[in-house]
Structure formats: C-alpha cells, structure tokens
Coordinates of all heavy atoms in Angstrom, one line a residue:
M216 N -95.9 -11.2 62.8 CA -94.5 -11.5 62.4 C -93.7 -12.2 63.5 O -93.0 -13.1 63.2 CB -93.9 -10.3 61.8 CG -92.6 -10.5 61.3 SD -92.7 -11.5 59.8 CE -91.4 -10.8 58.8
P217 N -93.8 -11.7 64.8 CA -93.1 -12.3 65.8 C -93.4 -13.8 66.0 O -92.6 -14.6 66.3 CB -93.4 -11.5 67.1 CG -93.8 -10.2 66.6 CD -94.5 -10.5 65.2
G218 N -94.7 -14.1 65.8 CA -95.1 -15.5 65.9 C -94.5 -16.4 64.9 O -94.1 -17.6 65.2
L219 N -94.3 -15.9 63.7 CA -93.6 -16.6 62.6 C -92.2 -16.9 63.0 O -91.7 -18.0 62.8 CB -93.7 -15.9 61.3 CG -93.0 -16.5 60.1 CD1 -93.7 -17.9 59.8 CD2 -93.1 -15.6 58.9
I220 N -91.5 -15.9 63.5 CA -90.1 -16.0 63.8 C -89.9 -17.0 64.9 O -89.0 -17.9 64.9 CB -89.4 -14.6 64.1 CG1 -89.4 -13.8 62.9 CG2 -88.0 -14.8 64.7 CD1 -89.0 -12.4 63.1
R221 N -90.8 -16.9 65.9 CA -90.7 -17.9 67.1 C -91.0 -19.3 66.6 O -90.2 -20.2 67.0 CB -91.8 -17.4 68.0 CG -91.7 -18.2 69.4 CD -92.7 -17.8 70.4 NE -92.6 -16.3 70.6 CZ -93.7 -15.5 70.6 NH1 -94.9 -15.9 70.4 NH2 -93.5 -14.2 70.8
G222 N -91.9 -19.5 65.6 CA -92.2 -20.8 65.1 C -90.9 -21.4 64.3 O -90.6 -22.5 64.5
V223 N -90.3 -20.5 63.6 CA -89.1 -20.9 62.8 C -88.0 -21.3 63.8 O -87.3 -22.3 63.6 CB -88.7 -19.8 61.8 CG1 -87.4 -20.2 61.2 CG2 -89.8 -19.7 60.7
A224 N -87.8 -20.5 64.8 CA -86.7 -20.7 65.7 C -87.0 -22.0 66.5 O -86.1 -22.8 66.7 CB -86.6 -19.6 66.7
R225 N -88.2 -22.3 66.9 CA -88.6 -23.5 67.6 C -88.3 -24.7 66.7 O -87.7 -25.7 67.2 CB -90.0 -23.5 68.0 CG -90.4 -24.7 68.8 CD -91.9 -24.7 69.3 NE -92.1 -23.5 70.1 CZ -93.2 -22.7 70.1 NH1 -94.1 -23.0 69.2 NH2 -93.3 -21.7 70.9
T226 N -88.6 -24.6 65.5 CA -88.4 -25.8 64.5 C -86.9 -26.0 64.4 O -86.4 -27.2 64.4 CB -89.0 -25.4 63.2 OG1 -90.4 -25.2 63.3 CG2 -88.8 -26.5 62.2
A227 N -86.1 -24.9 64.3 CA -84.7 -25.1 64.2 C -84.1 -25.8 65.4 O -83.2 -26.7 65.3 CB -84.0 -23.7 64.0
V228 N -84.5 -25.4 66.6 CA -84.1 -26.0 67.8 C -84.4 -27.5 67.9 O -83.6 -28.3 68.3 CB -84.6 -25.2 69.1 CG1 -84.4 -26.0 70.4 CG2 -84.0 -23.9 69.1
V229 N -85.7 -27.8 67.5 CA -86.1 -29.2 67.6 C -85.3 -30.0 66.6 O -84.9 -31.1 66.9 CB -87.6 -29.3 67.3 CG1 -88.0 -30.7 67.1 CG2 -88.4 -28.7 68.4
A230 N -85.1 -29.5 65.4 CA -84.3 -30.3 64.4 C -82.9 -30.4 64.8 O -82.3 -31.6 64.7 CB -84.4 -29.6 63.0
G231 N -82.3 -29.4 65.4 CA -80.9 -29.6 65.9 C -80.8 -30.5 67.0 O -79.8 -31.3 67.0
T232 N -81.7 -30.5 67.9 CA -81.7 -31.5 69.0 C -81.9 -32.9 68.5 O -81.2 -33.8 69.0 CB -82.9 -31.1 70.0 OG1 -82.7 -29.8 70.5 CG2 -82.9 -32.1 71.2
A233 N -82.8 -33.1 67.6 CA -83.0 -34.4 67.1 C -81.8 -35.0 66.4 O -81.4 -36.2 66.5 CB -84.2 -34.4 66.1
T234 N -81.1 -34.1 65.7 CA -79.9 -34.6 65.0 C -78.8 -34.9 66.0 O -78.1 -35.9 65.9 CB -79.3 -33.4 64.1 OG1 -80.3 -33.2 63.1 CG2 -78.1 -33.8 63.4
A235 N -78.7 -34.1 67.1 CA -77.6 -34.4 68.1 C -77.9 -35.7 68.8 O -77.0 -36.5 69.0 CB -77.6 -33.2 69.1
V236 N -79.2 -35.9 69.1 CA -79.5 -37.2 69.8 C -79.3 -38.4 68.9 O -78.8 -39.4 69.3 CB -81.0 -37.1 70.3 CG1 -81.5 -38.5 70.7 CG2 -81.2 -36.1 71.4
S237 N -79.7 -38.2 67.7 CA -79.5 -39.3 66.7 C -78.0 -39.7 66.6 O -77.7 -40.9 66.6 CB -80.1 -39.0 65.3 OG -79.7 -39.9 64.4
N238 N -77.2 -38.7 66.5 CA -75.7 -38.9 66.4 C -75.2 -39.6 67.6 O -74.4 -40.5 67.5 CB -75.0 -37.6 66.1 CG -75.2 -37.1 64.7 OD1 -75.7 -37.9 63.8 ND2 -75.0 -35.8 64.5
R239 N -75.7 -39.2 68.8 CA -75.2 -39.7 70.0 C -75.6 -41.2 70.1 O -74.8 -42.1 70.5 CB -75.8 -39.0 71.2 CG -75.1 -39.4 72.5 CD -75.6 -38.5 73.7 NE -75.6 -37.1 73.4 CZ -76.7 -36.3 73.7 NH1 -77.8 -36.7 74.2 NH2 -76.6 -35.0 73.4
V240 N -76.8 -41.5 69.7 CA -77.3 -42.9 69.8 C -76.5 -43.8 68.8 O -76.0 -44.9 69.2 CB -78.8 -43.0 69.4 CG1 -79.2 -44.4 69.2 CG2 -79.6 -42.4 70.5
T241 N -76.2 -43.3 67.7 CA -75.4 -44.0 66.7 C -74.0 -44.3 67.2 O -73.5 -45.4 67.1 CB -75.3 -43.2 65.4 OG1 -76.6 -43.0 64.9 CG2 -74.5 -44.0 64.3
R242 N -73.4 -43.3 67.8 CA -72.0 -43.5 68.4 C -72.0 -44.5 69.5 O -71.1 -45.4 69.6 CB -71.4 -42.2 68.9 CG -70.9 -41.3 67.8 CD -70.1 -40.2 68.3 NE -70.8 -39.3 69.3 CZ -71.6 -38.3 68.9 NH1 -71.6 -37.9 67.6 NH2 -72.2 -37.5 69.8
R243 N -73.0 -44.5 70.4 CA -73.2 -45.4 71.5 C -73.3 -46.9 70.9 O -72.7 -47.8 71.4 CB -74.4 -45.1 72.3 CG -74.0 -44.7 73.7 CD -75.2 -44.6 74.6 NE -75.4 -43.2 74.9 CZ -76.5 -42.6 75.3 NH1 -77.6 -43.2 75.3 NH2 -76.5 -41.3 75.6
Q244 N -74.2 -47.0 69.9 CA -74.4 -48.3 69.4 C -73.1 -48.9 68.7 O -72.7 -50.0 68.9 CB -75.5 -48.3 68.4 CG -76.9 -48.2 68.9 CD -77.9 -48.1 67.8 OE1 -77.6 -47.8 66.7 NE2 -79.2 -48.3 68.2
Q245 N -72.4 -48.0 68.0 CA -71.2 -48.5 67.4 C -70.1 -48.8 68.5 O -69.4 -49.8 68.3 CB -70.6 -47.4 66.5 CG -71.4 -47.3 65.2 CD -70.9 -46.1 64.3 OE1 -70.1 -45.2 64.8 NE2 -71.3 -46.0 63.1
G246 N -70.1 -48.1 69.6 CA -69.2 -48.5 70.7 C -69.5 -49.8 71.3 O -68.6 -50.6 71.6
R247 N -70.8 -50.1 71.5 CA -71.2 -51.3 72.0 C -70.9 -52.5 71.0 O -70.4 -53.6 71.5 CB -72.7 -51.4 72.3 CG -73.1 -50.6 73.5 CD -74.6 -50.6 73.7 NE -75.0 -49.6 74.7 CZ -76.2 -49.1 74.8 NH1 -77.2 -49.5 74.0 NH2 -76.5 -48.3 75.8
W248 N -71.1 -52.3 69.8 CA -70.8 -53.4 68.8 C -69.3 -53.6 68.6 O -68.9 -54.7 68.5 CB -71.4 -53.0 67.4 CG -72.9 -53.0 67.4 CD1 -73.8 -53.7 68.2 CD2 -73.7 -52.2 66.5 NE1 -75.1 -53.4 67.9 CE2 -75.1 -52.5 66.8 CE3 -73.5 -51.4 65.5 CZ2 -76.2 -52.0 66.2 CZ3 -74.6 -50.8 64.8 CH2 -75.9 -51.1 65.1
A249 N -68.5 -52.5 68.8 CA -67.1 -52.7 68.7 C -66.6 -53.4 69.9 O -65.5 -54.2 69.8 CB -66.5 -51.2 68.6
A250 N -67.2 -53.3 71.0 CA -66.8 -54.1 72.2 C -67.1 -55.6 72.0 O -66.4 -56.4 72.7 CB -67.5 -53.6 73.4
Q251 N -68.0 -55.9 71.2 CA -68.3 -57.4 70.9 C -67.2 -58.0 70.1 O -66.6 -57.3 69.2 CB -69.6 -57.6 70.2 CG -70.8 -57.2 71.0 CD -72.1 -57.3 70.3 OE1 -72.1 -57.6 69.1 NE2 -73.2 -57.0 70.9
Q252 N -66.9 -59.2 70.4 CA -65.8 -59.9 69.6 C -66.3 -60.1 68.2 O -67.4 -60.6 68.0 CB -65.4 -61.1 70.3 CG -64.0 -61.5 70.2 CD -63.7 -62.7 71.1 OE1 -64.6 -63.5 71.4 NE2 -62.5 -62.8 71.5
G253 N -65.3 -60.0 67.2 CA -65.6 -60.3 65.9 C -66.4 -59.2 65.1 O -66.8 -59.4 64.0
Y254 N -66.6 -58.1 65.8 CA -67.4 -57.1 65.1 C -66.5 -56.2 64.2 O -65.4 -55.9 64.6 CB -68.0 -56.1 66.1 CG -68.7 -54.9 65.5 CD1 -69.8 -55.0 64.7 CD2 -68.0 -53.7 65.5 CE1 -70.4 -53.9 64.1 CE2 -68.6 -52.5 64.9 CZ -69.7 -52.7 64.2 OH -70.3 -51.5 63.6
E255 N -66.9 -56.0 63.0 CA -66.2 -55.2 62.0 C -67.1 -54.0 61.8 O -68.3 -54.1 61.5 CB -65.9 -55.9 60.7 CG -65.0 -57.0 60.8 CD -64.7 -57.7 59.5 OE1 -64.9 -57.0 58.5 OE2 -64.4 -58.9 59.5
A256 N -66.4 -52.8 61.9 CA -67.2 -51.6 61.7 C -67.6 -51.5 60.2 O -66.9 -51.9 59.3 CB -66.3 -50.4 62.0
P257 N -68.9 -51.0 60.1 CA -69.4 -50.8 58.7 C -68.5 -49.8 58.0 O -68.0 -48.9 58.6 CB -70.8 -50.4 58.8 CG -70.9 -49.8 60.2 CD -69.8 -50.5 61.0
P258 N -68.3 -49.9 56.7 CA -67.5 -49.0 56.0 C -68.1 -47.6 56.1 O -69.4 -47.4 56.0 CB -67.5 -49.4 54.5 CG -68.7 -50.4 54.4 CD -68.9 -50.9 55.8
A259 N -67.3 -46.6 56.3 CA -67.7 -45.2 56.4 C -68.4 -44.8 55.1 O -67.9 -45.2 54.0 CB -66.6 -44.3 56.7
R260 N -69.5 -44.1 55.2 CA -70.1 -43.6 54.0 C -69.3 -42.5 53.4 O -68.9 -41.6 54.1 CB -71.5 -43.1 54.3 CG -72.5 -44.1 54.7 CD -73.9 -43.5 54.7 NE -73.9 -42.2 55.3 CZ -75.0 -41.5 55.5 NH1 -76.2 -42.0 55.3 NH2 -74.9 -40.3 56.0
P261 N -69.0 -42.6 52.1 CA -68.3 -41.5 51.5 C -69.1 -40.2 51.5 O -70.3 -40.3 51.4 CB -67.9 -42.0 50.1 CG -69.0 -43.0 49.9 CD -69.3 -43.6 51.2
A262 N -68.4 -39.1 51.5 CA -69.2 -37.8 51.4 C -69.9 -37.8 50.0 O -69.5 -38.5 49.1 CB -68.2 -36.6 51.4
Y263 N -70.9 -37.0 50.0 CA -71.7 -37.0 48.7 C -70.8 -36.7 47.6 O -70.1 -35.7 47.6 CB -72.9 -36.0 48.8 CG -73.6 -35.8 47.5 CD1 -74.5 -36.8 47.1 CD2 -73.3 -34.7 46.6 CE1 -75.2 -36.6 45.9 CE2 -73.9 -34.6 45.5 CZ -74.9 -35.6 45.1 OH -75.5 -35.4 43.9
Q264 N -70.9 -37.5 46.6 CA -70.1 -37.2 45.3 C -71.1 -37.3 44.2 O -71.9 -38.2 44.0 CB -69.1 -38.3 45.1 CG -68.0 -38.3 46.2 CD -67.0 -39.4 46.0 OE1 -67.2 -40.3 45.1 NE2 -66.0 -39.5 46.8
A265 N -71.1 -36.2 43.4 CA -72.0 -36.2 42.2 C -71.5 -37.3 41.3 O -70.3 -37.5 41.1 CB -71.9 -34.8 41.6
E266 N -72.5 -38.0 40.7 CA -72.1 -39.0 39.8 C -71.6 -38.3 38.5 O -72.0 -37.3 38.1 CB -73.3 -39.8 39.4 CG -73.8 -40.6 40.6 CD -74.8 -41.7 40.2 OE1 -74.8 -42.0 39.1 OE2 -75.4 -42.2 41.1
P267 N -70.6 -39.0 37.9 CA -70.1 -38.3 36.6 C -71.2 -38.3 35.6 O -72.1 -39.1 35.5 CB -69.0 -39.3 36.2 CG -69.3 -40.6 36.9 CD -70.0 -40.2 38.2
P268 N -71.2 -37.2 34.9 CA -72.2 -37.1 33.8 C -72.2 -38.2 32.8 O -71.1 -38.7 32.5 CB -71.9 -35.7 33.2 CG -70.5 -35.4 33.5 CD -70.2 -36.1 34.8
A269 N -73.3 -38.7 32.5 CA -73.4 -39.8 31.5 C -72.9 -39.3 30.2 O -73.2 -38.2 29.8 CB -74.9 -40.3 31.4
A270 N -72.1 -40.1 29.6 CA -71.5 -39.8 28.3 C -72.7 -39.6 27.3 O -73.5 -40.5 27.2 CB -70.5 -40.8 27.8
A271 N -72.7 -38.6 26.6 CA -73.7 -38.4 25.6 C -73.5 -39.4 24.5 O -72.4 -39.6 24.0 CB -73.6 -37.0 25.0
A272 N -74.6 -40.1 24.2 CA -74.5 -41.1 23.2 C -74.3 -40.4 21.8 O -75.2 -39.6 21.4 CB -75.8 -41.9 23.2
A273 N -73.2 -40.7 21.1 CA -73.0 -40.1 19.8 C -74.0 -40.7 18.8 O -74.1 -42.0 18.8 CB -71.6 -40.4 19.4
P274 N -74.6 -40.0 18.0 CA -75.5 -40.5 17.0 C -74.7 -41.4 16.0 O -73.6 -41.1 15.7 CB -76.1 -39.3 16.4 CG -75.3 -38.2 16.7 CD -74.6 -38.5 17.9
D275 N -75.3 -42.5 15.7 CA -74.6 -43.4 14.7 C -74.6 -42.8 13.3 O -75.3 -41.8 13.1 CB -75.2 -44.8 14.7 CG -76.6 -44.8 14.4 OD1 -77.3 -43.7 14.3 OD2 -77.1 -45.9 14.0
M276 N -73.8 -43.3 12.5 CA -73.5 -42.8 11.2 C -74.8 -42.8 10.3 O -75.0 -41.9 9.5 CB -72.4 -43.5 10.5 CG -71.9 -42.8 9.2 SD -71.5 -41.1 9.5 CE -69.8 -41.1 9.8
T277 N -75.7 -43.8 10.5 CA -76.8 -43.9 9.7 C -77.8 -42.7 9.9 O -78.4 -42.2 9.0 CB -77.6 -45.2 9.9 OG1 -77.9 -45.4 11.3 CG2 -76.8 -46.4 9.4
S278 N -77.9 -42.3 11.2 CA -78.8 -41.2 11.5 C -78.2 -39.9 10.9 O -78.9 -39.0 10.4 CB -79.0 -41.0 13.0 OG -77.8 -40.6 13.7
K279 N -76.9 -39.8 10.9 CA -76.2 -38.6 10.3 C -76.5 -38.6 8.8 O -76.8 -37.5 8.2 CB -74.7 -38.6 10.6 CG -74.4 -38.3 12.0 CD -72.8 -38.2 12.2 CE -72.5 -37.9 13.6 NZ -71.0 -37.8 13.8
I280 N -76.4 -39.7 8.2 CA -76.6 -39.8 6.7 C -78.0 -39.4 6.4 O -78.3 -38.7 5.5 CB -76.2 -41.2 6.2 CG1 -74.7 -41.4 6.3 CG2 -76.7 -41.4 4.8 CD1 -74.2 -42.8 6.0
D281 N -79.0 -39.9 7.2 CA -80.4 -39.6 7.0 C -80.6 -38.1 7.2 O -81.4 -37.5 6.3 CB -81.3 -40.3 8.0 CG -81.3 -41.8 7.7 OD1 -81.0 -42.2 6.6 OD2 -81.7 -42.6 8.7
Q282 N -80.0 -37.4 8.1 CA -80.1 -36.0 8.3 C -79.6 -35.3 7.1 O -80.1 -34.3 6.7 CB -79.5 -35.6 9.6 CG -80.2 -36.0 10.8 CD -79.5 -35.6 12.1 OE1 -78.3 -35.3 12.1 NE2 -80.2 -35.7 13.3
L283 N -78.4 -35.7 6.7 CA -77.8 -35.1 5.5 C -78.6 -35.2 4.2 O -78.8 -34.3 3.4 CB -76.4 -35.6 5.2 CG -75.3 -35.2 6.3 CD1 -74.0 -36.0 6.1 CD2 -75.1 -33.7 6.3
K284 N -79.3 -36.4 4.1 CA -80.2 -36.6 2.9 C -81.4 -35.6 3.0 O -81.8 -35.0 2.0 CB -80.7 -38.0 2.9 CG -79.7 -39.0 2.4 CD -80.3 -40.4 2.4 CE -79.3 -41.4 2.0 NZ -79.8 -42.8 2.1
Q285 N -81.9 -35.4 4.2 CA -83.0 -34.5 4.4 C -82.6 -33.1 4.1 O -83.3 -32.3 3.4 CB -83.6 -34.6 5.8 CG -84.3 -35.9 6.1 CD -84.7 -36.0 7.5 OE1 -84.3 -35.2 8.4 NE2 -85.5 -37.1 7.8
L286 N -81.4 -32.7 4.5 CA -80.9 -31.4 4.2 C -80.7 -31.2 2.7 O -81.0 -30.1 2.2 CB -79.5 -31.2 4.9 CG -79.5 -30.7 6.3 CD1 -78.1 -30.6 6.8 CD2 -80.3 -29.4 6.5
G287 N -80.2 -32.2 2.0 CA -80.0 -32.1 0.6 C -81.3 -32.0 -0.1 O -81.5 -31.2 -1.1
E288 N -82.4 -32.7 0.4 CA -83.7 -32.5 -0.3 C -84.2 -31.1 -0.1 O -84.8 -30.5 -1.0 CB -84.7 -33.5 0.3 CG -84.4 -34.9 -0.1 CD -85.2 -36.0 0.6 OE1 -86.1 -35.6 1.4 OE2 -85.0 -37.2 0.5
L289 N -84.0 -30.5 1.2 CA -84.5 -29.2 1.4 C -83.8 -28.2 0.6 O -84.3 -27.2 0.1 CB -84.3 -28.8 2.9 CG -85.2 -29.6 3.9 CD1 -84.8 -29.3 5.3 CD2 -86.7 -29.2 3.6
K290 N -82.5 -28.4 0.4 CA -81.7 -27.5 -0.5 C -82.1 -27.6 -1.9 O -82.3 -26.6 -2.6 CB -80.2 -27.9 -0.4 CG -79.3 -27.0 -1.2 CD -77.9 -27.5 -1.1 CE -77.1 -26.8 -2.2 NZ -75.9 -27.5 -2.5
S291 N -82.4 -28.8 -2.4 CA -82.8 -29.0 -3.8 C -84.2 -28.4 -4.0 O -84.6 -28.0 -5.1 CB -82.8 -30.4 -4.2 OG -83.7 -31.2 -3.5
Q292 N -85.1 -28.4 -3.0 CA -86.4 -27.7 -3.1 C -86.4 -26.2 -3.0 O -87.4 -25.6 -3.1 CB -87.3 -28.3 -2.0 CG -87.6 -29.8 -2.2 CD -88.3 -30.4 -0.9 OE1 -88.6 -29.7 0.0 NE2 -88.6 -31.7 -0.9
G293 N -85.2 -25.7 -2.6 CA -85.1 -24.3 -2.5 C -85.4 -23.7 -1.1 O -85.5 -22.5 -0.9
V294 N -85.6 -24.6 -0.2 CA -85.9 -24.2 1.2 C -84.8 -23.6 1.9 O -84.8 -22.7 2.6 CB -86.6 -25.4 2.0 CG1 -86.9 -24.9 3.4 CG2 -87.8 -25.8 1.3
L295 N -83.6 -24.2 1.6 CA -82.3 -23.8 2.3 C -81.4 -23.2 1.2 O -81.3 -23.7 0.1 CB -81.6 -25.0 2.9 CG -82.2 -25.7 4.1 CD1 -81.4 -26.9 4.5 CD2 -82.4 -24.7 5.3
T296 N -80.7 -22.2 1.6 CA -79.7 -21.6 0.8 C -78.4 -22.5 0.9 O -78.3 -23.3 1.8 CB -79.4 -20.2 1.1 OG1 -78.8 -20.2 2.5 CG2 -80.6 -19.3 1.1
E297 N -77.5 -22.2 0.0 CA -76.2 -22.9 0.0 C -75.5 -22.7 1.4 O -75.0 -23.6 2.0 CB -75.3 -22.5 -1.1 CG -73.9 -23.2 -1.2 CD -74.1 -24.7 -1.6 OE1 -75.0 -25.0 -2.2 OE2 -73.2 -25.5 -1.1
A298 N -75.5 -21.5 1.9 CA -74.9 -21.1 3.2 C -75.5 -21.9 4.3 O -74.9 -22.4 5.2 CB -74.8 -19.6 3.4
E299 N -76.9 -21.9 4.3 CA -77.6 -22.6 5.4 C -77.3 -24.1 5.4 O -77.2 -24.7 6.4 CB -79.1 -22.3 5.3 CG -79.5 -20.9 5.5 CD -81.0 -20.6 5.1 OE1 -81.5 -21.2 4.3 OE2 -81.6 -19.7 5.8
F300 N -77.3 -24.6 4.1 CA -77.0 -26.0 4.0 C -75.6 -26.4 4.6 O -75.5 -27.4 5.3 CB -77.1 -26.4 2.5 CG -76.6 -27.8 2.2 CD1 -77.5 -28.9 2.5 CD2 -75.4 -28.1 1.7 CE1 -77.1 -30.2 2.2 CE2 -75.0 -29.4 1.4 CZ -75.8 -30.5 1.7
E301 N -74.6 -25.6 4.2 CA -73.3 -25.9 4.7 C -73.2 -25.7 6.2 O -72.5 -26.5 6.9 CB -72.3 -24.9 4.0 CG -72.0 -25.1 2.5 CD -71.5 -26.5 2.3 OE1 -70.6 -27.0 3.1 OE2 -71.8 -27.1 1.3
E302 N -73.9 -24.7 6.8 CA -73.9 -24.6 8.2 C -74.5 -25.8 9.0 O -73.9 -26.3 9.9 CB -74.6 -23.3 8.6 CG -74.7 -23.0 10.1 CD -75.5 -21.7 10.4 OE1 -75.7 -20.9 9.5 OE2 -75.9 -21.7 11.6
Q303 N -75.6 -26.2 8.4 CA -76.3 -27.3 9.0 C -75.5 -28.6 8.9 O -75.4 -29.5 9.8 CB -77.7 -27.5 8.5 CG -78.7 -26.4 8.8 CD -78.9 -26.3 10.3 OE1 -79.0 -27.3 11.0 NE2 -78.9 -25.1 10.8
K304 N -74.8 -28.8 7.7 CA -74.0 -29.9 7.5 C -72.9 -30.0 8.5 O -72.6 -31.0 9.1 CB -73.5 -29.9 6.1 CG -72.7 -31.1 5.7 CD -72.4 -31.1 4.2 CE -71.2 -30.3 3.9 NZ -70.7 -30.4 2.6
R305 N -72.2 -28.8 8.7 CA -71.1 -28.8 9.7 C -71.7 -29.1 11.1 O -71.0 -29.9 11.8 CB -70.5 -27.4 9.8 CG -69.4 -27.1 8.7 CD -68.7 -25.9 9.0 NE -69.5 -24.7 9.1 CZ -69.8 -23.9 8.0 NH1 -69.3 -24.3 6.9 NH2 -70.6 -22.9 8.2
T306 N -72.8 -28.7 11.4 CA -73.4 -29.0 12.7 C -73.7 -30.5 12.9 O -73.3 -31.1 13.9 CB -74.8 -28.2 12.9 OG1 -74.6 -26.9 12.8 CG2 -75.4 -28.5 14.3
I307 N -74.2 -31.1 11.9 CA -74.5 -32.6 11.9 C -73.2 -33.4 12.0 O -73.1 -34.3 12.8 CB -75.3 -33.0 10.7 CG1 -76.7 -32.4 10.7 CG2 -75.4 -34.5 10.6 CD1 -77.5 -32.6 9.5
L308 N -72.2 -33.0 11.2 CA -71.0 -33.8 11.2 C -70.1 -33.4 12.4 O -69.1 -34.0 12.6 CB -70.3 -33.5 9.9 CG -71.0 -34.0 8.6 CD1 -70.2 -33.6 7.4 CD2 -71.1 -35.5 8.7
G309 N -70.4 -32.3 13.1 CA -69.6 -32.0 14.3 C -68.3 -31.4 14.0 O -67.3 -31.5 14.7
A310 N -68.2 -30.8 12.8 CA -66.9 -30.3 12.4 C -66.9 -28.7 12.5 O -67.9 -28.1 12.7 CB -66.5 -30.6 11.0

C-alpha cells in the first residue's frame, strides 16, 4: 500500500510541475511576442461553457396523424380500452 501512495504522489508532483512549466513558457512567449511591433494578442479562450441543449425536433403533424391512426386501429381491434386510447392520444398530441 505505501508503494501505491508513493506512486500516486509522485505522479501528482510531476503533473503539477509540468503544468507550471507549461504556463511559464506560454507567458514568456506572449511577453516576447507582445514586445514585437504589430503583435496582437490572441483572443482569450473563454471558460468552458456547456453548449445549449439542442432543441428537440418536434414531430411533424403527419407522424402524429399516423400514430393516431394506429391507436384508432388498436382501439377498434379491442387491444386498447377507451381510457388507454385517450391517454395515448393526449401523449401524442402533447396536451
């Protein structure tokens, strides 16, 4: 167990050091480029923003009509009761 903890700690130190060095190099490069004439700083990266959820595509009316026809057929065959038919119809129509 101590070997595992030591290994995890070493990995954390290496990763932290690599990040610090990378940030330092980036700042140095930006400073050098800023000293050059005509240099424009690249736009800052915005913080992570989740993309807005894609709008759910509303089914078109023809698919709703087809679903209602199928429900009507199931009701006429006796597969669905009147209450089940009405419930499913409300679900399809979104009311």
Side-chain angles (χ1 to χ4, degrees):
M216 188 64 146
L219 177 65
I220 293 172
R221 189 176 305 129
V223 170
R225 183 179 299 139
T226 301
V228 169
V229 169
T232 303
T234 301
V236 169
S237 173
N238 289 340
R239 190 177 312 132
V240 169
T241 301
R242 282 193 300 272
R243 243 188 248 156
Q244 286 176 343
Q245 286 177 347
R247 287 178 187 160
W248 293 335
Q251 293 177 358
Q252 213 171 26
Y254 171 75
E255 294 181 22
R260 288 189 325 183
Y263 174 77
Q264 297 175 353
E266 295 196 16
D275 60 345
M276 192 52 96
T277 55
S278 67
K279 287 183 180 183
I280 291 172
D281 290 339
Q282 290 176 344
L283 289 173
K284 285 180 183 177
Q285 291 173 351
L286 275 179
E288 290 172 7
L289 290 173
K290 181 184 165 202
S291 66
Q292 294 171 0
V294 176
L295 293 176
T296 65
E297 182 67 32
E299 292 170 332
F300 173 77
E301 290 299 322
E302 180 183 339
Q303 291 299 318
K304 184 170 82 171
R305 274 193 302 273
T306 303
I307 290 171
L308 295 177

